[in-house]
Amino acid sequence: MIEPEYFLPGSAACHGCPAAMCLRVILRALEGKAVVVVPASCSSVITGVYPHSALNVPVFNSAFAASAAVATGIRAGLDFYGEEGEVVVWAGDGGTYDIGLQSLSGAAERGEDILYICYNNEMYSNTGVQRSGATPYGAWTTTTVGGKREHRKDVAEILMAHNVPYIATASAGFLNDLYNKVRKAREIEGFRYIEILAPCPPGWRFPMDKTVEMGRLAVETGMWILYEVVEGKMRFTGLSKVIAEGKRKMKDIKEYLKLQGRFSHLSEEDIREIERYRDRRWEFLKRRANEL
Amino acid sequence: MLIKMLTGNQAAAFAAMNSMVRFVAAYPITPATPVIETISKLVEEGIMEAKFVPVESEHSAMAACIGASAAGLRTFTATSSHGLAYMHEMLHWAVNARTPVVMVVANRAIGPGWNIWSDLSDSLSQRDTGWLQFYCSSVQEIYDTIAMSYRVAEDVMVPAMVCYDGFVLSHTSVPVEITPLEGFINEYQPKWRISIEKPLTHGNILPPDAYISLRKAIHKAHRKALELIPEIEEEFFDHTGRSTPMLYETYRFEDAEEVLVAVGAVASEARIAVDILRSAGVKVGLLRLKSFRPFPSQIRRTLGDRKVTVIDRDFIPGVGGIVYQEISNLVQSDSMILGVGGADVTAEMIAEAFTKLVEV
């Protein structure tokens, strides 16, 4: 059987775009039963120019800071008319980590029945590669030309403090894992959050045929950690689970960093700082997984 | 007929309920807070059938209302001053998204320094967002105007603000006729709504020619509202027996050689000021401007060649009164700025100021 397609050919996405790739998988996992709320982001461009649209599901564009609030209103409308299906926020890290954090937190705290998915490409790519709260230490962007001097924050962990029923991380390198997590989230009612690491070829400065490879390397080097938190119970998933259980060693982070132009200027000390940060994150999440 | 002692804020809440509002998202701010407190209670008690969402900011309040309106719900919110200013981006959004949200604004000065009293600068300074704006002069009028605003807004698909002076109207209790509205306003029948069954993309990239068409359509919607409002006023009169003007009204106007133009609660005082001045032999009348948007430019004919003085309870530094600015586009006029930051405005003060102005 040929599965129906909800992300249509002819979108305005760059070649190798992780957002397009992941959204296609997500809409399949939801069988097209979704309204997609898109704040200002690459995706507000990717969907195409009026009167055309690359998405074969209803899409409502929202102001940058407001997507979780807009989704709240749409959910109420669907409920009123008895329509079943998900209200999905599809936001970048700018719209999630920075300008949209307040409305995200508000909707999460109120327990709105929304599936919020952040495709985190670790910068403002639509406006031409500026730093965000998700940009990692050392990364070049047009507003951190000497490399970012601060580590990133972590919104998935902030969502843990909101006690929402489902939180998961995913990577553009593991689309089956993403598919399964969306399927799982679909079965749960309430506020659900999935954050996808979305390696962006022009922003990170790597060849456009390497998106999946980069998404895998991020997990293999332990720079991105796959897990889910269901009703407060945390567990590592996929390759991160194998790493957490000590069945496989993490690859050298240099393998991940050296492929990306944004890290080409890093000193050995910078790389050690990134490694230390990675290790701290693992320790923290392992503790968390044991506690919960 | 149900008559209740209500404040302006409570009257607004009852009007929203009786207008069959199904979605309210709001954030507290003085002096509009009692509107949402009343609604929250009415919803909690099952008297009002609506979803009430206590959002984390005014920006989100308007965003949620836009989402709900696009998804086919009649929506309502209330704010003031800084809350309205914080919403600014979403005010523009509601207009271009063509979502007929109705919002009440209990007018209040903007800080710093903190000032919670009446001043119309908060909503008047939002004039260029494209919202319809109606300014009430009594508590009953708040109730009536909300009901009529839904009819106008939903017909032309442009959101509407119903404004009333903070404290002067928002917190003053008077008897209000809580007329049932069914028949005048029925369950919302959206012309379009987001539906999972219909894969439409709303608000994506709009090239210049299509953008121009959108802005033109909104412009035409304002024009259409001007034509529509008298019909709706008439229907409202048939339904309630109350004649509540939506565009403007005049008082002791026929033989007037001079005219005061006023907005909001100050207009009620100006009416008494006209009586005071008349008894002193001054041939003065009043034009109360109710609809700031759509702007009823036909008042140019109404004003004729009378000498016009505009009273503003608002102020643009470096320019003066906002209403004065608008009226001056139609006819030459004089300006009085009274009651900014909640300073009390009495009929006597208006009469005295008017006399001094004439002497100058």
Side-chain angles (χ1 to χ4, degrees):
Chain A
M1 196 185 99
I2 299 167
E3 279 191 71
E5 198 61 75
Y6 305 100
F7 194 103
L8 306 173
S11 84
C14 304
H15 292 275
C17 174
M21 208 162 70
C22 293
L23 187 53
R24 177 169 176 246
V25 169
I26 290 161
L27 293 176
R28 278 194 168 187
L30 297 172
E31 295 166 271
K33 294 275 177 216
V35 174
V36 182
V37 177
V38 181
S41 62
C42 278
S43 290
S44 42
V45 178
I46 290 170
T47 46
V49 177
Y50 174 88
H52 304 290
S53 177
L55 291 189
N56 201 17
V57 292
V59 178
F60 196 77
N61 281 271
S62 126
F64 213 166
S67 48
V70 168
T72 298
I74 293 175
R75 179 75 262 169
L78 295 187
D79 290 346
F80 183 84
Y81 289 98
E83 288 201 21
E84 284 178 20
E86 290 288 351
V87 178
V88 178
V89 174
W90 177 245
D93 50 299
T96 302
Y97 274 67
D98 297 340
I99 197 168
L101 186 61
Q102 178 175 303
S103 68
L104 165 60
S105 172
E109 182 266 332
R110 293 192 306 271
E112 301 293 346
D113 189 19
I114 294 167
L115 175 55
Y116 190 112
I117 306 178
C118 167
Y119 64 100
N120 175 4
N121 55 28
E122 302 187 326
M123 59 175 178
Y124 291 83
S125 48
N126 192 33
T127 43
V129 194
Q130 293 80 36
R131 101 194 265 286
S132 80
T135 302
Y137 178 90
W140 167 91
T141 69
T142 59
T143 51
T144 53
V145 287
K148 194 185 174 206
R149 295 338 290 173
E150 307 82 26
H151 289 287
R152 63 184 283 261
K153 62 175 163 178
D154 194 311
V155 168
E157 284 171 26
I158 292 173
L159 265 292
M160 287 186 208
H162 286 69
N163 297 309
V164 298
Y166 188 78
I167 299 164
T169 57
S171 161
F174 297 96
L175 294 175
N176 278 338
D177 178 67
L178 171 63
Y179 182 90
N180 291 334
K181 282 170 175 164
V182 174
R183 295 292 288 192
K184 190 173 233 174
R186 206 184 161 187
E187 301 304 317
I188 297 167
E189 210 178 298
F191 196 91
R192 292 139 295 154
Y193 180 80
I194 298 176
E195 182 169 331
I196 308 165
L197 181 72
C200 167
W204 294 15
R205 298 185 166 182
F206 65 82
M208 57 193 157
D209 60 342
K210 298 270 185 255
T211 305
V212 171
E213 192 179 325
M214 205 60 71
R216 284 175 180 269
L217 268 171
V219 177
E220 285 165 348
T221 56
M223 287 291 288
W224 187 254
I225 305 170
L226 300 175
Y227 63 87
E228 62 181 7
V229 186
V230 186
E231 298 292 354
K233 287 212 180 319
M234 182 184 166
R235 63 178 200 99
F236 293 101
T237 61
L239 195 58
S240 296
K241 182 165 179 273
V242 181
I243 292 169
E245 287 166 350
K247 290 177 185 161
R248 197 201 280 202
K249 271 187 71 172
M250 283 185 271
K251 282 187 179 171
D252 187 343
I253 59 166
K254 283 182 192 160
E255 283 192 45
Y256 176 63
L257 300 176
K258 75 181 180 198
L259 290 173
Q260 302 174 45
R262 64 173 176 160
F263 291 122
S264 61
H265 59 283
L266 294 189
S267 67
E268 283 301 316
E269 177 46 32
D270 285 334
I271 292 169
R272 276 195 294 278
E273 177 53 35
I274 293 171
E275 214 163 28
R276 283 194 292 271
Y277 173 77
R278 176 197 67 179
D279 295 344
R280 279 203 304 277
R281 291 259 306 121
W282 270 99
E283 273 170 45
F284 174 81
L285 287 173
K286 275 181 178 170
R287 257 201 325 273
R288 182 111 207 178
N290 289 334
E291 281 166 8
L292 296 174
Chain B
M1 174 66 58
L2 181 61
I3 297 178
K4 271 181 169 255
M5 282 295 287
L6 295 178
T7 63
N9 283 333
Q10 289 166 332
F14 278 91
M17 178 175 75
N18 289 349
S19 299
M20 290 165 233
V21 163
R22 297 291 172 239
F23 185 88
V24 181
Y27 188 82
I29 181 168
T30 304
T33 311
V35 180
I36 61 163
E37 287 174 336
T38 308
I39 286 177
S40 161
K41 191 162 179 284
L42 288 168
V43 171
E44 185 77 25
E45 290 170 350
I47 299 166
M48 180 172 179
E49 287 172 46
K51 185 172 168 74
F52 171 68
V53 187
V55 285
E56 83 299 328
S57 76
E58 287 92 351
H59 193 277
S60 283
M62 187 46 64
C65 284
I66 290 166
S69 180
L73 300 183
R74 185 171 286 143
T75 64
F76 180 79
T77 188
T79 195
S80 289
S81 180
H82 290 260
L84 185 65
Y86 195 44
M87 265 181 203
H88 180 71
E89 180 193 22
M90 300 318 294
L91 295 182
H92 281 284
W93 204 281
V95 171
N96 270 25
R98 307 299 303 265
T99 45
V101 178
V102 171
M103 164 167 66
V104 292
V105 176
N107 290 110
R108 162 186 157 183
I110 291 182
W114 289 119
N115 176 316
I116 56 168
W117 298 287
S118 181
D119 186 315
L120 274 46
S121 305
D122 57 351
S123 56
L124 284 171
S125 67
Q126 302 294 344
R127 71 175 173 186
D128 300 339
T129 55
W131 278 61
L132 308 179
Q133 287 196 356
F134 304 105
Y135 287 83
C136 300
S137 297
S138 72
V139 173
Q140 181 70 58
E141 201 180 9
I142 297 170
Y143 183 85
D144 297 355
T145 304
I146 291 168
M148 284 190 270
S149 292
Y150 276 111
R151 287 288 307 276
V152 182
E154 287 167 9
D155 192 292
V156 302
M157 291 182 81
V158 173
M161 246 178 243
V162 177
C163 310
Y164 49 89
D165 297 59
F167 294 106
V168 181
L169 293 175
S170 70
H171 281 64
T172 306
S173 287
V174 294
V176 182
E177 292 182 13
I178 302 297
T179 319
L181 297 168
E182 193 161 7
F184 174 74
I185 188 162
N186 298 315
E187 195 69 42
Y188 183 37
Q189 300 293 328
K191 292 179 182 176
W192 167 84
R193 70 175 171 90
I194 295 169
S195 165
I196 292 200
E197 309 306 322
K198 288 188 196 132
L200 278 170
T201 292
H202 180 287
N204 56 335
I205 295 174
L206 210 53
D209 53 343
Y211 188 84
I212 290 165
S213 301
L214 171 67
R215 298 294 282 174
K216 251 189 180 167
I218 296 163
H219 181 65
K220 280 185 183 162
H222 273 239
R223 294 288 172 86
K224 190 185 170 200
L226 279 178
E227 291 168 20
L228 194 69
I229 285 169
E231 293 168 27
I232 290 174
E233 276 173 19
E234 208 167 309
E235 252 191 80
F236 188 78
F237 175 77
D238 291 342
H239 186 83
T240 63
R242 286 193 299 279
S243 176
T244 306
M246 283 292 276
L247 292 175
Y248 65 96
E249 65 176 339
T250 55
Y251 177 65
R252 301 186 81 165
F253 204 81
E254 283 298 296
D255 65 336
E257 288 163 3
E258 299 182 55
V259 187
L260 282 170
V261 174
V263 171
V266 168
S268 297
E269 287 297 317
R271 201 179 168 98
I272 305 167
V274 164
D275 291 342
I276 295 170
L277 290 162
R278 281 273 180 174
S279 56
V282 186
K283 282 197 161 180
V284 65
L286 171 73
L287 185 143
R288 174 167 81 91
L289 186 65
K290 163 90 175 270
S291 176
F292 190 63
R293 289 290 183 274
F295 189 68
S297 48
Q298 64 263 40
I299 61 171
R300 183 208 298 264
R301 276 197 311 278
T302 313
L303 292 167
D305 55 5
R306 295 174 177 89
K307 192 176 180 310
V308 175
T309 303
V310 182
I311 309 174
D312 272 279
R313 181 178 235 165
D314 59 84
F315 184 65
I316 319 169
V319 176
I322 298 174
V323 182
Y324 163 72
Q325 239 194 351
E326 295 278 320
I327 300 294
S328 295
N329 285 336
L330 303 178
V331 293
Q332 205 198 338
S333 52
D334 289 327
S335 169
M336 296 201 295
I337 312 274
L338 293 173
V340 167
D344 203 18
V345 182
T346 62
E348 290 74 18
M349 279 171 63
I350 295 171
E352 196 193 329
F354 183 75
T355 313
K356 281 185 184 161
L357 195 75
V358 172
E359 280 169 7
V360 170

